[in-house]
């Protein structure tokens, strides 16, 4: 609950509104447990919950489009020799139009499918009238509970909605402050006209299968009334004169994340079991279980940048009045930061698919871009905040997803080029799609798998689990690297190995050796080499990779107007403001460019960013927060946050591309974390932590606790006037040699490092750098005087 009574102000980590939602996209409030999602509208006379189950997809195995069965997007129709023809053309002419490439290599993507809405629950409240007093609708980020409060004729009515991860159900609780005052009718509807509805003993069951692919689905909604009576209707359940009612909802399909059939057990038993188990406990126990589980993760990070403890303005007004200055701006920014963490926990939990373009929320049978997995920035951006903001468990669905893409990805590699290894293209779905879709301008991006592998390696860098590296990450990375060993070709001009053809995402001509393609492959090779060293595995393979890496064009060139080149040729247009700034991958998420280690390249990245400007879609602005943070320009990073909040954010604080696309939420949360802490894994149990690398002037003082750096280090920082005043850190899982970079160490300040026991710690200091050994489980404090 946000507060005890409806009249008091909610605490700062609450989204709240004085009116019900009428628009799904911009106003309704999302809840989710990773697999299930709901959007709550909060109407007084009718409550509406729009529902999703993450695996409910059309297309895929079993589906046929225009007479063609789904075929994982494979390249079997590619004409023999077409790839060589393309390469010869690029070697001779330097570039080609994307449409030309699409014609040479492309093919139709039959039955790709789209993410589907599951249905809707409507709760018609009897005698609600129209005039409720003290109405408030809220979402408490500290408990992940959405709530509606209002009074009618002196009676207080309240509702809560939550999506429990431990119990696997969505639960709604409706209460009246007086016995006998709650009467309502609950309907559960499916958009699918073939769905069968059945009501028995307060339980509404919806069952059916999708017409195009036969995917079975089932939803059950159980209504439990306290006092009062319960009456089954034909397709509804009515509660009369109760004091309280609980609704328990579970949805399932027979989807399984397994190539080639992608089918598992019928959903009936699992759905029934979950509902029955949830019904066997009092609502209070279900609620406590949910809050304990959720808050245990969400509560790991606290951010205080000067927001008042309570917000005096409803969230839509807070957003409308936002100009980047004053306590209200700090309130919105910190709320937005934590909202990204909330949304990640709501849309990505172990045991389900990763967060898609809309997380887990979709109300349309034809959502934008199928609400799929775009892998030229979007899926990756969804996971940027996971490690740094201490929600590493949420990466599990991504890891499983990457793993499951491999079988079709292997066939795609083979059919494209007779290559080993595995690939995935620009877009994929829940059915292991590994080919290309038929849009010439977003057509070609076989580097997607290599980029996904960065997340596996980073999971190791942050968490340090060698077992994960050995059993999960390394085999996937090594197999992705194998493809590139086969696919790279020597450039006709300088003999360096290049990706050909290559295409800087959604921009420019097709060429050989586009910067991003080169940078991504270089990273994959470097990480795979590092992983094989940690594991002591396969030295011959490691040497092959090292040899190729030495010959690989690194994709880092400074061009005529001081910019970082997007292509191998110096052809960047200084007036171009395209939203993708892919060639800055080496700055972020990559780590090859930094102001400290490669100042010229950092300058070039800055020139590129200045030319591209501060506009763009939601995710583009979010990426720019991260870029400027990595360039240690906190004020520019903050300016991008401001742009995002002012022009790319809806009233429910969802990011809008437009339309709604969740990546910008996640990218911005990650960017704000990058402003406060950056880290580098230096190998062999060594890590560098940069404290407050990009603090904006407007965050004058504050604290952040629980951020996570590479090397599994947990960091708390307090600051004032741009300088850290207190730094605490600990390394719960392992001994690690730390290099701490902070302005606190400059200006001749006297610095002590203390264990929690009070003992002083040996350290070495030089300029803004302190080096020391951190021991497992010990908590350290940096104390500066003078
Ligand atoms: C990428 C972007 C688009 C959009 C789409 C879902 O292709 O270029 O802007 O975000 O993904």
């Amino acid at each position: 609950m946000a507060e005890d009574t409806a009249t008091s102000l909610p605490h700062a980590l609450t989204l709240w509104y004085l009116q019900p939602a009428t628009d799904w996209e911009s106003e309704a409030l999302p809840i989710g447990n990773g697999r299930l999602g709901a959007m709550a509208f909060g109407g007084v006379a009718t409550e509406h919950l729009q529902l999703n189950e993450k695996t409910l997809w059309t297309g895929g195995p079993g589906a046929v489009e225009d007479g063609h069965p789904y075929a994982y997007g494979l390249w079997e129709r590619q004409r023999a020799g077409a790839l060589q023809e393309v390469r010869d053309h690029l070697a001779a002419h330097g570039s080609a139009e994307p449409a030309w490439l699409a014609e040479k290599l492309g093919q139709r993507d039959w039955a790709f499918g789209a993410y589907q809405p599951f249905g809707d629950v409507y709760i018609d409240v009897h005698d609600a009238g129209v005039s409720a007093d003290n109405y408030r609708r809220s979402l408490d980020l500290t408990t992940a509970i959405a709530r509606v409060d209002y009074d009618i004729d002196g009676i207080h009515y309240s509702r809560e909605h939550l999506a429990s991860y431990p119990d696997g159900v969505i639960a709604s609780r409706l209460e009246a402050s007086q016995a006998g005052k709650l009467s309502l009718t609950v309907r559960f509807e499916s958009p699918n006209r073939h769905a069968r509805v059945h009501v028995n003993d307060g339980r509404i069951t919806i069952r059916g299968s999708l017409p195009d692919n036969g995917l079975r689905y089932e939803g059950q909604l159980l209504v439990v009334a306290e006092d009062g009576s319960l009456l089954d209707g034909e397709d509804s359940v009515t509660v009369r004169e109760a004091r309280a009612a609980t609704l328990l909802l579970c949805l399932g399909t027979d989807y399984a994340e397994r190539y080639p059939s992608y089918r598992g057990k019928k959903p009936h038993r699992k759905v029934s079991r979950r509902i029955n188990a949830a019904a066997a406990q009092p609502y209070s126990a279900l609620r406590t279980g949910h809050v304990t589980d959720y808050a245990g993760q969400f509560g790991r990070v606290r951010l205080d940048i000067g927001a008042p403890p309570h917000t005096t303005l409803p969230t839509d007004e807070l957003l409308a009045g936002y100009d980047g200055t004053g306590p209200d701006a700090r309130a919105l920014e910190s709320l937005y930061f934590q909202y990204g963490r909330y949304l990640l926990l709501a849309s990505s939990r172990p045991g389900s698919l990763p967060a898609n373009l809309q997380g887990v929320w979709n109300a349309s049978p034809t959502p934008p871009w199928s609400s799929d997995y775009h892998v030229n920035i979007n899926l990756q951006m969804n996971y940027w905040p996971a490690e740094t903001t201490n929600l590493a468990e949420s990466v599990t669905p991504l890891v499983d997803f990457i793993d499951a893409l491999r079988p079709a990805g292997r066939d795609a590699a083979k059919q494209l080029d007779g290559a080993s290894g595995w690939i995935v293209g620009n877009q994929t779905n829940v059915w292991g799609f590994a080919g290309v879709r038929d849009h010439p301008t977003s057509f070609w991006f076989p580097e997607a798998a290599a980029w996904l592998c960065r997340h596996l390696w980073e999971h190791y860098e942050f968490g340090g689990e060698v077992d994960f590296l050995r059993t999960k990450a390394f085999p996937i990375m090594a197999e992705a690297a194998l493809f590139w060993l086969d696919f790279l070709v020597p450039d006709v001009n300088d003999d360096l190995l290049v990706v050909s053809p290559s295409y800087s995402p959604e921009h420019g001509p097709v060429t050989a050796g586009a910067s991003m393609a080169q940078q991504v492959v270089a990273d994959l090779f470097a990480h795979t080499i590092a992983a094989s060293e940690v594991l002591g595995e396969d030295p011959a393979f490691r040497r092959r990779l090292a040899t190729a890496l030495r010959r690989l064009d690194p994709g880092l060139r400074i061009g005529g107007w001081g910019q970082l080149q997007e292509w191998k040729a110096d052809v960047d247009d200084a007036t171009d403001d395209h939203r993708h700034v892919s060639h800055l991958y080496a700055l972020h998420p990559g780590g090859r460019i930094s102001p400290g280690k490669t100042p010229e390249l950092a300058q070039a990245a800055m020139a590129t960013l200045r030319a591209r400007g501060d506009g763009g879609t939601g995710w583009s602005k979010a990426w720019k927060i991260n870029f400027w943070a990595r360039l240690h320009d906190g004020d520019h990073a903050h300016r991008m946050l401001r742009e995002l909040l002012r022009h790319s954010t809806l009233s429910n604080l969802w990011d809008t591309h437009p339309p709604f696309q969740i990546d910008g939420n996640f990218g911005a949360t990650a960017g704000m974390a990058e402003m406060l802490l950056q880290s580098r894994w230096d190998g062999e149990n060594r890590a560098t932590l940069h404290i407050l690398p990009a603090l904006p002037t407007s965050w004058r003082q504050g604290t952040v606790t629980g951020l996570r750096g590479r090397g599994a280090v947990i960091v708390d920082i307090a600051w004032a006037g741009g300088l850290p005043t207190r730094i605490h850190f600990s390394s719960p899982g392992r001994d690690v040699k730390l290099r701490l970079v902070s302005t606190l160490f400059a200006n001749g300040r006297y610095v002590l490092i203390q264990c929690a026991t009070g003992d002083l710690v040996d350290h070495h200091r030089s300029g803004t750098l302190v080096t020391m050994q951190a021991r497992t489980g010990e908590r350290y404090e940096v104390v500066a005087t003078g």
Side-chain angles (χ1 to χ4, degrees), residues 323-370:
D323 65 0
T325 61
D328 283 348
R330 303 294 86 80
L332 183 65
E333 289 163 0
S334 32
L335 181 64
Y336 192 72
F337 170 77
Q338 293 289 20
Y339 193 44
R341 301 182 65 242
Y342 166 83
L343 290 171
L344 191 61
L345 285 172
S347 63
S348 187
R349 291 293 202 105
S352 70
L353 291 162
N356 62 39
L357 281 174
Q358 298 183 177
V360 61
W361 302 279
N362 167 39
S364 165
T366 53
W369 293 285
S370 310

Side-chain angles (χ1 to χ4, degrees), residues 346-508:
S347 63
S348 187
R349 291 293 202 105
S352 70
L353 291 162
N356 62 39
L357 281 174
Q358 298 183 177
V360 61
W361 302 279
N362 167 39
S364 165
T366 53
W369 293 285
S370 310
S371 191
D372 68 9
Y373 297 95
H374 267 58
V375 203
N376 65 4
I377 177 65
N378 318 86
L379 175 58
Q380 290 90 337
M381 185 178 279
N382 283 1
Y383 286 88
W384 286 353
E387 306 285 354
T388 51
T389 75
N390 219 335
L391 300 173
E393 297 90 333
S394 66
V395 179
T396 308
L398 179 66
V399 174
D400 294 343
F401 185 70
I402 298 172
D403 203 4
L405 285 172
R406 276 198 292 168
R410 283 179 196 130
D411 288 344
K414 206 169 292 143
Q415 288 175 11
L416 175 66
D417 189 29
S420 29
W422 73 281
I423 49 170
V424 64
N426 194 64
Q427 280 154 273
T428 187
N429 57 13
V430 302
W431 314 116
F433 186 84
V436 289
R437 300 209 71 188
D438 63 342
H439 309 300
T441 53
S442 61
F443 163 79
W444 179 253
F445 193 61
E447 302 86 5
W451 188 348
L452 286 174
C453 286
R454 157 172 280 283
H455 289 258
L456 305 177
W457 173 246
E458 286 200 351
H459 195 60
Y460 167 74
E461 285 190 330
F462 276 91
E465 292 162 56
V466 176
D467 238 26
F468 166 79
L469 192 65
R470 186 185 311 279
T471 57
K472 272 279 181 195
F474 182 68
I476 302 175
M477 293 163 68
E479 212 184 342
L482 270 180
F483 171 80
W484 292 103
L485 286 175
D486 285 351
F487 192 80
L488 293 168
V489 289
D491 189 303
V492 276
N493 300 310
D494 56 16
D495 212 36
L496 293 177
L497 292 177
V498 286
V499 179
S500 177
S502 71
Y503 184 51
S504 199
E506 312 197 25
H507 191 214

